[in-house]
Every structure is written in C-alpha cells, then in structure tokens.
Amino acid sequence: SDELDAVLATAALTIVLSVLLHGMSAGPGAARYVRWIRRTRPEVELAESMEPRGRGMAMMMTHDAAGLAQTPKSESP
C-alpha cells in the first residue's frame, strides 16, 4: 500500500541520514571531547577503569595516564 511505502521510505531515509551525519560528526566530536578532557582533567574521566571481562576474552584494554588512549594488553591465562 502507499502508506506502507511511505513509512518504509521515511525509515530508510532516516537511517541513511543518521549514519551519514554520525560519520561526519564523530571525528570532530571526539577531538572536541579530548580537548575538553585535557583542559579540565575531570577526575571521573581520568580514574582507572575496570571493564567487565567476558568469557574467552584474550585481550584487555587499558587506558594511558590521561585516560585518552587505549592500548591492547595481553592477559595471561
């Protein structure tokens, strides 16, 4: 029906635009966030994090001292 076609077209357009806009804004948004972290150095963002471990997880991510970068760290069994 025409109504269903309109709903599906609207949903598809919304999804495509959302993906495109997110792709265009993610880099600048992340850079802005890093500048904010470096400028304000909020404790909650710089604290050591403990990520939950999943079964069979071979790698664990650790944050650098500023909490800005993640580097893979091998975990011994």
Side-chain angles (χ1 to χ4, degrees), residues 25-75:
S25 66
R32 184 176 178 186
Y33 179 69
V34 168
R35 287 191 306 270
W36 175 78
I37 292 288
R38 288 181 176 155
R39 186 178 70 249
T40 62
R41 304 201 52 82
E43 268 187 53
V44 69
E45 295 291 338
L46 299 176
E48 190 71 28
S49 66
M50 295 299 296
E51 299 294 328
R53 285 184 46 198
R55 275 194 268 164
M57 183 180 215
M59 301 292 281
M60 210 172 129
M61 301 304 284
T62 59
H63 299 281
D64 68 2
L68 301 175
Q70 294 183 348
T71 55
K73 178 181 175 185
S74 294
E75 184 179 339

Side-chain angles (χ1 to χ4, degrees), residues 13-35:
L13 181 61
T14 301
I15 292 167
V16 167
L17 289 176
S18 174
V19 168
L20 288 174
L21 290 174
H22 178 73
M24 292 177 7
S25 66
R32 184 176 178 186
Y33 179 69
V34 168
R35 287 191 306 270

